[in-house]
Amino acid sequence: MRQSISLSAGEWRIMERLWEKHPRTLMELVKELGPDTGWSKSTIVTMVGRLEAKGAVAYTEGGRARRYIPAVPRERAALEETESLLRRVYRGSVGMMVNTLADGRGLSDEDIEELSAVLEKARRERQ
């Protein structure tokens, strides 16, 4: 059975960079993330190490520096985070989650159309 991957907000930022373009060295990540986040090189090194320990990133040796790549597809990480949120916050209820969104921020006509299309697709795939 595969290991579940849970990412912190900061780890998501690093993974987003790797999903956009890979492989990347630590120094490339530091150069890109440092100005936006204020993170130091040691912070990014620590976070990449945690991602590696979780199985979210892998690396290849590339000359003088390791070249990091995502070890999980973005879609898998997003699905696991969504399922975790549903279990923890909404007791597994998709309806409760959508109702909270609708009540909290409201749903635009575009949101409703998108949700309708998703539900229709799910209905067709179940038949």
Side-chain angles (χ1 to χ4, degrees):
M1 186 168 170
R2 74 177 186 213
Q3 176 184 356
S4 178
I5 302 214
S6 177
L7 303 174
S8 69
E11 291 168 341
W12 268 99
R13 290 188 80 166
I14 292 171
M15 291 301 296
E16 288 290 352
R17 296 296 175 128
L18 290 172
W19 285 317
E20 288 170 11
K21 179 183 171 193
H22 57 273
R24 292 189 188 203
T25 65
L26 277 172
M27 290 314 295
E28 289 171 332
L29 290 169
V30 168
K31 184 178 178 182
E32 291 178 25
L33 290 165
D36 293 342
T37 63
W39 296 339
S40 68
K41 177 182 174 185
S42 63
T43 298
I44 294 171
V45 168
T46 298
M47 292 175 74
V48 170
R50 287 182 186 156
L51 287 166
E52 186 180 347
K54 290 179 177 187
V57 299
Y59 66 86
T60 58
E61 295 293 342
R64 294 174 36 176
R66 291 180 174 175
R67 301 182 58 75
Y68 289 89
I69 59 172
V72 294
R74 187 187 195 297
E75 295 77 17
R76 175 182 157 201
L79 177 61
E80 289 185 16
E81 289 288 342
T82 302
E83 288 174 345
S84 175
L85 176 72
L86 277 172
R87 281 190 310 274
R88 288 180 295 111
V89 178
Y90 299 103
R91 295 175 295 203
S93 172
V94 173
M96 186 185 295
M97 182 180 74
V98 173
N99 192 51
T100 299
L101 286 171
D103 288 348
R105 73 172 178 102
L107 296 175
S108 68
D109 288 341
E110 189 176 285
D111 291 333
I112 293 168
E113 288 296 320
E114 186 176 358
L115 282 170
S116 295
V118 167
L119 293 172
E120 185 56 37
K121 179 183 175 203
R123 179 176 283 125
R124 283 192 311 269
E125 290 176 356
R126 289 192 61 188
Q127 295 175 349

